[in-house]
Amino acid sequence: MSVQSHSSARPTLEDVAAKAGVSRATASRVLNASPRVSPEAHEAVTAAVVELGYQPNQAARALVTRRTGAVAVVFSEPEPKIFDDPHFAWLIRSAARSLADADVQMVLLLVHSPEDMARAERFLAGGHVDGALMFAPHKGDQLPAVARKLPLPVVCAGRPWGPLRGLHLVDHDNEGGGVLATEHLISLGRKRIVSVTGPLDEHSAMDRLAGWRSAVGASDDEVALSTEDGGFSREGGKRAMAALLARVPDLDAVFVASDLMAAGALDALREAGKRVPEEVAVVGFDDHPMIAPHTSPPLTSVRQDTSDQVKHMVTHLLRLLRGEPIRARREVLPTVLVRRASA
């Protein structure tokens, strides 16, 4: 039986200290980014870490710092929607990248049932992560209430239902985006502009509808006639567009509250023999890079920069983790219109 030599074993903090010619405490302070070390000690310890290939024991470090180096990203949506909708894939990718850039590990939590909620609350309160980014858009969702009582900092996307007091929020100007889209269609001379909405248990869908309504000056009866919920899915967008064509045969433009639904709306218009944009102009919302430039014709869309939203959320959370005194508030990011061939 061979015995592993000390030189081939995983290097320890004591090895780093010995190599650098400093005490173990000094080596620890350097590795924990303490300002209470001299430049010479910092340089010696850093060189020793590189030469020995030292990797800190994260479990031991967590006991000292009470930090896990991980952040939960929590979605309150059914799993098929998370993995089938490109919008959520982009959100997850953006979160993973932004957290990795901050040297933080992402832990993904999907919450849909009451059992999921209870399990997620236990996990988040159990010291497994340092903070959380939450995406909980639906009316009646319990995640915002959970966020208020968690013993860790939380930043929420959008505007959740219920009292906003005490919550840190990063949102987009959805109503302004709805106005932008509809006013663009009006500027093209379109007279009969309808809208495919998202589900109205989400503030983002309600706000985009409010923007359309404000721009066209629609009455309650006109809203009922000229809008249809597409459920934020491609099939839903196709179904809603077909219903609007049957109900408003003289429509000449449509504002669709997401690019995925707009792709479905284009399918329905094509099947109905309607030429886009000659007979019906179409504007979407999201400017999703995997959808808007690739529809036929390419989709004019309101851009909400998902990556920028997530970066703002991560920056805000990191400031909270550093203990900076930040007042809870709602940060609203701008939207812009990106013109393509559909309008």
Side-chain angles (χ1 to χ4, degrees):
M1 179 184 296
S2 63
V3 178
Q4 187 180 38
S5 70
H6 178 73
S7 62
S8 64
R10 178 175 174 171
T12 65
L13 182 59
E14 286 78 7
D15 296 330
V16 171
K19 185 75 176 176
V22 300
S23 69
R24 185 186 188 283
T26 297
S28 177
R29 282 196 291 272
V30 171
L31 294 174
N32 285 294
S34 169
R36 297 186 298 114
V37 291
S38 68
E40 295 78 14
H42 187 279
E43 183 178 347
V45 171
T46 302
V49 165
V50 172
E51 184 174 341
L52 295 174
Y54 173 73
Q55 293 291 328
N57 185 317
Q58 292 299 329
R61 174 174 283 187
L63 289 173
V64 175
T65 64
R66 297 189 179 182
R67 290 286 179 86
T68 65
V71 161
V73 176
V74 190
F75 286 95
S76 185
E77 296 282 3
E79 289 181 14
K81 187 170 184 178
I82 293 292
F83 294 111
D84 294 345
D85 188 332
H87 174 68
F88 290 102
W90 199 257
L91 278 173
I92 293 169
R93 178 180 175 182
S94 298
R97 182 72 269 152
S98 294
L99 289 169
D101 288 344
D103 197 25
V104 175
Q105 181 65 43
M106 183 181 83
V107 178
L108 181 63
L109 299 181
L110 304 183
V111 178
H112 186 52
S113 68
E115 294 78 17
D116 291 341
M117 186 68 67
R119 186 165 51 251
E121 185 173 357
R122 289 195 303 270
F123 180 86
L124 293 169
H128 304 290
V129 293
D130 299 324
L133 306 176
M134 284 191 176
F135 299 80
H138 297 283
K139 187 175 183 178
D141 201 305
Q142 295 303 304
L143 268 181
V146 169
R148 290 187 189 90
K149 60 184 181 180
L150 284 173
L152 76 170
V154 175
V155 179
C156 296
R159 189 167 93 251
W161 292 81
L164 302 184
R165 183 177 52 81
L167 292 179
H168 299 270
L169 312 173
V170 180
D171 200 359
H172 278 104
D173 184 7
N174 289 291
E175 183 169 351
V179 171
L180 269 178
T182 311
E183 287 186 344
H184 173 62
L185 292 169
I186 292 170
S187 76
L188 297 177
R190 306 296 167 147
K191 303 297 184 185
R192 197 69 176 88
I193 305 169
V194 299
S195 182
V196 175
T197 77
L200 298 182
D201 70 338
E202 299 189 29
H203 278 300
S204 61
M206 291 177 63
D207 290 347
R208 294 169 198 180
L209 173 60
W212 167 86
R213 180 174 185 170
S214 171
V216 299
S219 67
D220 289 347
D221 288 343
E222 288 169 328
V223 170
L225 177 70
S226 302
T227 66
E228 189 74 22
D229 179 0
F232 279 149
S233 72
R234 182 166 187 154
E235 279 305 309
K238 181 178 180 180
R239 206 162 40 242
M241 189 72 251
L244 288 167
L245 283 167
R247 205 157 65 229
V248 189
D250 61 337
L251 67 87
D252 60 3
V254 55
F255 164 50
V256 189
S258 81
D259 288 351
L260 191 59
M261 291 193 299
L266 289 170
D267 293 339
L269 289 166
R270 192 176 303 111
E271 290 182 9
K274 297 287 188 180
R275 292 172 298 139
V276 177
E278 292 84 357
E279 293 178 272
V280 180
V282 181
V283 177
F285 201 109
D286 290 332
D287 192 38
H288 195 290
M290 300 299 291
I291 301 175
H294 305 293
T295 57
S296 181
L299 185 65
T300 293
S301 185
V302 176
R303 174 178 292 167
Q304 56 165 356
D305 193 330
T306 298
S307 297
D308 191 45
Q309 180 187 24
V310 172
K311 286 177 185 175
H312 277 253
M313 292 173 70
V314 169
T315 298
H316 204 78
L317 184 63
L318 293 176
R319 291 180 65 192
L320 291 169
L321 289 173
R322 289 194 294 267
E324 296 182 24
I326 304 173
R327 181 174 56 86
R329 65 187 182 91
R330 176 175 172 238
E331 181 181 7
V332 180
L333 305 177
T335 52
V336 297
L337 185 75
V338 179
R339 301 184 185 191
R340 297 188 182 90
S342 72

